[in-house]
Amino acid sequence: MRLRPALILAAPAGVLVGHAIGYLAAPGPAGAAAVHHGYLALVLAVAVPLGVMAVGWAATAGAVSDPRRGPVHRAVPVGPLLLAQWLLFTAQEMVEHAVAGHGAGAALQSPALWCGLAAQIVTAVAVVAIIRASAATGARLVLIFGGPPLVVPRLLRWFRPRPSVSPQLSLVVACPSRGPPPAALV
């Protein structure tokens, strides 16, 4: 089961939530860089759909996995996600301070940076927990509704036209109750 793409999709949402927590937890005034947060509405518009896609990816990965191979959570590492969130958040803070006219030294002395880095730990663990829960839910849904786990190649075989049938008739053969009779197409 491949859940790393789900983590990649969820990383921007984790950074955004950690950014908000960091600024809320920072002691004293958030600083002049906090004024330059007008772009966060655009980031939110991108991060939320990516987060929803991450949950869907994880649920689908859980549905196509084999539940006999072990628990779903073993394939979801926290470390790489946390490192990615730390790098994204630090770059974000450096750019914010640069736009505010401060140097890197001012960014490194900002309490919001250090609180935000600590908040990234919390959000990375939360993101991994959500991804694990989504994958486990997908696997359980397949078991609840019966049948073996989904096998994508088996599903795709149904859509291939048969060699004895012309390509124009493959849709009619696949759905005989729709469309004109096959004799009318010849």
Side-chain angles (χ1 to χ4, degrees), residues 43-64:
V43 173
L44 182 68
V46 172
V48 169
L50 288 177
V52 169
M53 287 172 50
V55 169
W57 183 287
T60 304
V64 299

Side-chain angles (χ1 to χ4, degrees), residues 3-12 54 57 75-78 80-81 124 127-128 131:
L3 291 176
R4 288 186 190 258
L7 293 176
I8 293 168
L9 290 171
W57 183 287
V76 188
V78 177
L81 176 66
V127 164
V128 167
I131 296 298

